[in-house]
DNA sequence: GCATCTTAGTGTACAACATACACTAATAAC
DNA sequence: GTTATTAGTGTATGTTGTACACTAAGATGC
């Protein structure tokens, strides 16, 4: 059913029509006091010059998460993120050209780690605060909305928040992270009590640098122990 | 990019190769004392005569959930189920013929409601207990496994269990349902206390029929009220 | 080196919720 | 009316969540 001709456009023929299949990524990054999303400005039609999620067509020789990572790297330069499937969007009219089904992923990136740079289909790349998003191409606003919902849910019963922080962090940074994602203030003593009682934070002998007040102790998350406990039925909860 | 020729096989050509896109459904039904999954026996290659999940190719003029419902109705005769997207599976070798990406759905059906009957691609249709599943075609065992995980998670913080019961049910039936899905015994008094304290069960003036002991009162779930409370931030939990 | 500023770090009392547990009441069947 | 079976109910205890405010440490500027 498929005719040959590997790289570059060719002619591929099938007995039944097929939707195009793409992946799109909602990449979250934690800034000083808000949560940001990575967007690219489209170089090409449709929706030329509009802001959109990084993403693109799935190739036959790559899995869905591979496609998501490739597109992310190509269009924005971002690599090494925590990536998880979000939802598959298939409304009939979500792309003006033809039927396109997209598998959306969401990713958590450490903002400071990444020098973003636009390339391939992207004219520009930038981080946008969640409450200051521009109008987005296609149904990408819906996808972002769903990703936020999911992140808010997930962060409460899985330790994904650590993916947004540097490997060593203070308890105050961790608390700010939860406050930003959940959009509600948390009590300092109760927060520390809960987190420390899980016994998944390892106290290091370092303190934060470059602050102009008493420096806070740095902790790391004990991922190994978390995975072990999880296998034994433990469940993380904030 | 697409050439015409609507129903029946034709010739559809594209500039780049495309994976085939299918949907598959994991339909759960509640039996007297276990949870069952609906399977079909494949009439066609590949994996001819093997048991598999109902599902099939997505047409260009239907949404993903529409495709799932259509395939379910065609192959098994089941309609009117609670349907929710589960996950999209895209491993390179999940179908021996060619690259096929499938959007999996899970569905909750009231066992008694449905006269199942095989048709189209299905040689037979049957309900199988979860702990007595036959070897399944493709990666369908993985899909079922993931669906069970999801159901177990979901049932704890969303009132989806009611989709498996008749509209009027006894508290004992409801408790059995949770015990079966969660695979753990629950305390009768505590269970009733918790459920009734949410104030989402409406006591009817009917009692169950045809039992040879004291008949239990029938209740209904107040879906309207649940939706209203949910919008106000309430969250269901068992 | 002292005063000031800023954040780090800590404990307790009370309320809410989860858990463990056993008997009487109602109805059907005979 | 006797028996069998499930319905239906409350309380005491432990565990967890919540509300709340001060002292300690270190950095900075004088």
């Amino acid at each position: 059913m498929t005719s040959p001709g590997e790289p570059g456009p060719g002619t591929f023929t099938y007995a039944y029509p097929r939707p195009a299949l793409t992946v799109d990524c909602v990449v979250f990054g934690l800034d000083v006091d808000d949560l940001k999303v990575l967007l690219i400005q489209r170089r090409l039609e449709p929706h030329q010059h509009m802001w959109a999620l990084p993403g693109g067509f799935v190739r036959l020789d790559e899995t869905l998460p591979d496609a998501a990572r490739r597109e992310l790297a190509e269009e924005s330069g971002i690599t090494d993120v925590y990536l998880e499937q979000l939802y598959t969007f298939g409304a009939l009219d979500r792309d003006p050209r033809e039927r396109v089904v997209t598998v959306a992923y969401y990713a958590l990136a450490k903002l400071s780690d990444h020098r973003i740079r636009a390339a391939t289909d992207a004219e520009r790349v930038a981080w946008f605060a969640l409450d200051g998003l521009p109008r987005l191409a296609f149904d990408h606003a819906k996808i972002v909305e769903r990703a936020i919902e999911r992140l808010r849910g997930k962060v409460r019963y899985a330790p994904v928040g650590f993916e947004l922080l540097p490997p060593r962090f203070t308890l105050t940074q961790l608390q700010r992270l939860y406050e930003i994602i959940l959009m509600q203030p948390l009590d300092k003593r109760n927060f520390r009590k809960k987190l420390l009682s899980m016994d998944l934070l390892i106290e290091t002998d370092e303190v934060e640098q470059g602050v102009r007040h008493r420096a806070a102790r740095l902790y790391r998350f004990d991922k190994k122990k978390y995975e072990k406990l999880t296998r034994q039925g433990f469940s993380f909860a904030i």
Side-chain angles (χ1 to χ4, degrees), chain A residues 43-164:
Chain A
R43 183 195 297 282
L44 307 171
E45 288 292 355
H47 299 307
Q48 196 179 7
H49 309 312
M50 246 182 138
W51 291 93
L53 295 172
F57 293 95
V58 175
R59 297 184 185 159
L60 286 197
D61 60 354
E62 67 187 358
T63 64
L64 300 170
D66 286 349
R69 283 182 200 281
R70 176 182 52 74
E71 288 287 352
L72 204 51
E74 280 180 12
E75 295 184 343
S76 74
I78 285 197
T79 56
D80 296 318
V81 294
Y82 170 86
L83 192 76
E84 193 174 298
Q85 197 185 107
L86 174 63
Y87 196 76
T88 298
F89 295 81
L92 301 183
D93 58 353
R94 53 178 302 284
D95 190 304
R97 293 167 291 187
E98 60 163 334
R99 181 77 191 281
V100 181
V101 171
T102 196
V103 183
Y105 280 78
Y106 75 96
L108 304 180
K110 304 181 211 296
L111 255 196
S112 52
D113 275 16
H114 299 284
R115 285 274 168 283
I116 58 177
R117 56 176 163 68
T120 64
D121 302 343
E123 207 162 86
R124 302 162 65 194
V125 190
W127 292 99
F128 286 81
L130 276 183
D131 53 8
L133 293 184
R135 215 156 66 79
L136 296 184
F138 308 108
D139 56 354
H140 289 187
K142 250 187 221 162
I143 300 179
V144 171
E145 206 179 322
R146 192 154 200 137
I148 296 167
E149 264 174 43
R150 179 80 142 257
L151 176 62
R152 284 210 177 109
K154 187 102 190 175
V155 87
R156 298 179 148 277
Y157 62 86
V160 291
F162 301 104
E163 307 291 342
L164 291 163

Side-chain angles (χ1 to χ4, degrees), chain A residues 2 15 30 44 91 98 111 119 121 125 141 143 153 171 176 186 207 212 217:
Chain A
T2 311
L30 186 71
L44 307 171
E98 60 163 334
L111 255 196
D121 302 343
V125 190
I143 300 179
L171 294 179
R176 279 298 293 143
L186 299 171
V207 293
R212 50 192 202 172
R217 166 135 284 126

Side-chain angles (χ1 to χ4, degrees), chain A residues 33-45:
Chain A
D33 44 20
D34 56 7
L35 198 57
K36 302 230 144 117
V37 174
L38 186 83
L39 298 178
I40 61 151
Q41 195 173 34
R42 293 179 56 82
R43 183 195 297 282
L44 307 171
E45 288 292 355

